[in-house]
Amino acid sequence: MRIITHTCPACGTVVAANELEDNRVMKCPGLGCQEVLEFADLPEDARKHFLEHRERYQL
């Protein structure tokens, strides 16, 4: 299992890939941050790996 995250370019908040995949488009959870994050912001190889192994990332 890989740890796949995305860092908000505006505030530095780290968001897990499973949160991005669940929402596809979401407002950054960083306090006061208005940046919009998307699953597509992850590198292609990370998105592909996550989707192929989705069951490993379920809580």
Side-chain angles (χ1 to χ4, degrees):
M1 177 187 212
R2 290 172 35 187
I3 297 173
I4 303 173
T5 60
H6 177 67
T7 303
C8 175
C11 72
T13 297
V14 177
V15 180
N18 60 332
E19 284 295 315
L20 287 172
E21 196 275 332
D22 280 347
N23 298 305
R24 292 295 170 150
V25 176
M26 64 183 280
K27 181 188 159 299
C28 175
L31 189 59
C33 185
Q34 298 300 313
E35 189 75 14
V36 175
L37 306 176
E38 299 181 26
F39 185 67
D41 293 338
L42 292 170
E44 184 178 352
D45 65 320
R47 289 192 314 262
K48 183 178 177 184
H49 176 82
F50 181 83
L51 293 173
E52 288 174 353
H53 302 96
R54 187 181 309 200
E55 71 282 351
R56 293 182 186 175
Y57 294 93
Q58 299 300 316
L59 296 175

